[in-house]
């Protein structure tokens, strides 16, 4: 059972996303923020636990990335429902990050016939920034100046992910930084 814990955490995050949307629909942004925190913690600990238990696999890391996408899209949908006044402010930044993410996955598919999954340090910092931004939006209805900091982190993270994809000779996941690649 313990060896399945990383998968359980990934599945929890997949379920938490739609649950946040449901909570936003019924007017519970505080509970959305709580579920957001639990989802972020599950994202932090799934990989740590998998490595400690020696059950980290490419499949787990790939599904971790997919769960992240579902989770964060759902989190922004919850903000849009709970705080519709923020949509004009947030959508251009969200669209830019989404476009960069899609472009990187397309390049990875073109090069390796697999989706990108670098899990680099800058992406982890971006995830923490998203946590702060979405929590602020849900609890206060505000997003500035956090939005601009998170947008800068997101663009930098996507640029590094693209650089990692371009520098890899063969597909792999868990690349800490573009600077960790040889040659």
């Amino acid at each position: 059972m313990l060896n399945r814990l990383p998968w359980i955490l990934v599945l929890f995050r997949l379920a938490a996303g739609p649950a946040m949307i449901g909570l936003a629909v019924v007017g519970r942004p505080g509970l959305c923020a709580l579920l957001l925190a639990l989802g972020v913690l599950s994202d932090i600990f799934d990989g740590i636990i998998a490595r400690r238990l020696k059950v980290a696999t490419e499949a787990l890391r790939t599904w971790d990335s997919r769960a992240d996408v579902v989770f964060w899209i759902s989190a922004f949908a919850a903000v849009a429902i709970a705080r519709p006044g923020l949509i004009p402010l947030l959508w251009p930044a969200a669209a830019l990050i989404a476009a960069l993410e899609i472009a990187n996955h397309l390049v990875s598919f073109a090069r390796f016939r697999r989706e990108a999954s670098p899990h680099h340090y800058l992406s982890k910092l971006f995830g923490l920034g998203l946590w702060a931004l979405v929590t602020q939006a849900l609890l206060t209805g505000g997003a500035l100046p956090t939005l601009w900091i998170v947008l800068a982190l997101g663009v930098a993270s996507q640029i590094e992910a693209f650089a990692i994809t371009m520098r890899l000779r063969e597909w792999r996941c868990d690349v800490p930084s573009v600077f960790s690649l040889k040659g």
Side-chain angles (χ1 to χ4, degrees):
M1 175 66 175
L2 196 56
N3 286 350
R4 294 187 185 144
L5 185 56
W7 280 103
I8 291 167
L9 292 171
V10 168
L11 292 173
F12 169 77
R13 205 162 49 262
L14 276 171
M20 281 189 290
I21 293 171
L23 289 168
V25 167
V26 298
R28 304 301 300 255
L31 288 178
C32 287
L34 176 62
L35 201 51
L36 176 75
L38 293 173
V40 169
L41 291 172
S42 79
D43 189 25
I44 292 168
F45 287 107
D46 63 3
I48 293 169
I49 293 168
R51 286 186 292 278
R52 290 258 168 103
L53 296 175
K54 297 183 182 5
V55 296
T57 63
E58 286 182 16
L60 178 64
R61 298 310 279 160
T62 299
W63 277 98
D64 175 55
S65 292
R66 291 173 181 165
D68 289 347
V69 170
V70 169
F71 180 75
W72 288 110
I73 288 172
S74 298
F76 276 94
V79 169
I81 293 164
R83 306 293 187 186
L86 288 177
I87 293 171
L89 180 64
L90 296 177
W91 85 261
L96 174 61
I97 298 299
L100 291 171
E101 177 86 17
I102 290 166
N104 189 42
H105 280 285
L106 290 174
V107 169
S108 183
F109 271 118
R111 292 198 69 214
F112 306 118
R113 305 255 186 258
R114 298 181 79 170
E115 60 192 273
S117 187
H119 292 96
H120 54 292
Y121 294 135
L122 197 50
S123 71
K124 295 181 185 317
L125 187 59
F126 173 55
L128 293 174
L130 279 177
W131 182 13
L133 175 63
V134 173
T135 299
Q136 177 185 3
L138 286 168
L139 296 180
T140 71
L144 297 176
T146 310
L147 172 63
W148 306 121
I149 296 165
V150 173
L151 179 60
L153 282 172
V155 169
S157 173
Q158 290 300 324
I159 290 169
E160 183 175 30
F162 180 76
I164 289 169
T165 300
M166 295 308 294
R167 289 201 56 205
L168 287 174
R169 297 188 199 289
E170 61 185 35
W171 184 93
R172 64 182 239 234
C173 61
D174 294 333
V175 178
S177 167
V178 69
F179 302 111
S180 68
L181 297 170
K182 294 186 172 59

